[in-house]
C-alpha cells in the first residue's frame, strides 16, 4: 500500500484467495512470478479495472526462504544467511480487465548479508520484528544494516513492488502516475 500510494492516489486493496505453496521443482523466481500472476488473476476474476498482483520470494543457495513466523525462527534464518548472498525476486503482474491486457515483470536484487552474530541478529529482530518477511528483514527500516552490498535495477522492488517498471506499465495503460 505504502509503495503504491507513491504513484497512485486512489486505489483499493483486495486480498486474493491464493495458496502460496511452491510447486514441485519450481525455482524461487518462477514461484514469485506465478504467485503474482495468480493473485492478479484471482482479483481480476471478481473486480473490474486495472489489477496489480505482486509477490516476493527470497532465495539463498538456490533455496526459497519462507516467512519465519516467530522471532526465534527469524533470528535463526538471519544466522543461516550470515555472510551469504540473498537473491530477492519481486514479481508483479498487471491485468486490465477491460481490455484483457496482461503484463508481467520480475525484478531481482542481489543482496550480500554481513557476517552476523547471534546477539546482532537477535537485537535486529527485537527492533524490526520481521516475522512476516521472507529473509527476515525490513530493508526500509534497520534491516538495511544487515547488508554490505546490494545490486538491483529497481530499489523499490526490495521493499515489495518494483515501481520503476510499474510506472511505465501503468502509463502505457493510460493511467497518469505524475
Amino acid at each position: 500500500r505504502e509503495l503504491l500510494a507513491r504513484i497512485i492516489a486512489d486505489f483499493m486493496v483486495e486480498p486474493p484467495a491464493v495458496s502460496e505453496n511452491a510447486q514441485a521443482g519450481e525455482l524461487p523466481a518462477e514461484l514469485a512470478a506465478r504467485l503474482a500472476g495468480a493473485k492478479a488473476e484471482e482479483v481480476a476474476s471478481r473486480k473490474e479495472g486495472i489489477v496489480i498482483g505482486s509477490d516476493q520470494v527470497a532465495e539463498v543457495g538456490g533455496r526459497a526462504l519462507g516467512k519465519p513466523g516467530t522471532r526465534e525462527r527469524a533470528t535463526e534464518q538471519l544466522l543461516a544467511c550470515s555472510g551469504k548472498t540473498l537473491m530477492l525476486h519481486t514479481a508483479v503482474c498487471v491485468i486490465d480487465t477491460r481490455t484483457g491486457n496482461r503484463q508481467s515483470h520480475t525484478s531481482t536484487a542481489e543482496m550480500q548479508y554481513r557476517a552476523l552474530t547471534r546477539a546482532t541478529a537477535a537485537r535486529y529482530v527485537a527492533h524490526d520484528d520481521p516475522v512476516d518477511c521472507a529473509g527476515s528483514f525490513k530493508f526500509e527500516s534497520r534491516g538495511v544494516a544487515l547488508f554490505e552490498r546490494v545490486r538491483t535495477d529497481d530499489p523499490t522492488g526490495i521493499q515489495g513492488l518494483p515501481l520503476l517498471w510499474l510506472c511505465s506499465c501503468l502509463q502505457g495503460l493510460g493511467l497518469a502516475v505524475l
Side-chain angles (χ1 to χ4, degrees):
R1 288 179 207 192
E2 182 182 315
L3 287 168
L4 193 56
R6 289 186 190 179
I7 62 170
I8 300 174
D10 187 28
F11 61 91
M12 293 181 354
V13 175
E14 290 286 332
V18 171
S19 168
E20 295 192 356
N21 295 326
Q23 296 176 349
E26 191 171 39
L27 298 174
E30 294 169 344
L31 173 61
R34 182 179 59 77
L35 291 177
K39 289 175 180 183
E41 289 169 4
E42 196 281 327
V43 173
S45 73
R46 53 189 169 85
K47 296 290 180 179
E48 187 174 306
I50 296 174
V51 177
I52 302 167
S54 66
D55 200 79
Q56 191 170 58
V57 177
E59 167 188 5
V60 171
R63 184 178 62 86
L65 300 178
K67 297 174 184 175
T70 68
R71 287 183 172 192
E72 293 75 25
R73 284 194 294 247
T75 300
E76 294 305 318
Q77 193 174 77
L78 286 174
L79 290 173
C81 293
S82 177
K84 296 180 181 170
T85 300
L86 173 109
M87 302 301 284
L88 188 62
H89 308 287
T90 306
V92 62
C93 178
V94 177
I95 299 172
D96 186 342
T97 63
R98 299 162 297 185
T99 65
N101 186 318
R102 176 190 166 126
Q103 298 179 56
S104 299
H105 173 75
T106 301
S107 174
T108 297
E110 180 181 307
M111 307 173 72
Q112 179 67 44
Y113 276 99
R114 295 181 188 282
L116 305 171
T117 64
R118 179 170 296 282
T120 300
R123 263 194 321 274
Y124 167 70
V125 168
H127 184 273
D128 270 359
D129 197 29
V131 299
D132 61 344
C133 303
S136 298
F137 68 90
K138 294 182 181 180
F139 195 75
E140 64 277 14
S141 188
R142 284 196 182 171
V144 69
L146 298 170
F147 299 93
E148 60 185 38
R149 181 175 57 257
V150 173
R151 291 189 184 106
T152 183
D153 61 347
D154 189 340
T156 58
I158 296 171
Q159 292 177 253
L161 193 63
L163 292 181
L164 297 178
W165 178 84
L166 187 57
C167 282
S168 295
C169 177
L170 294 176
Q171 287 173 329
L173 294 173
L175 186 64
V177 295
L178 292 176

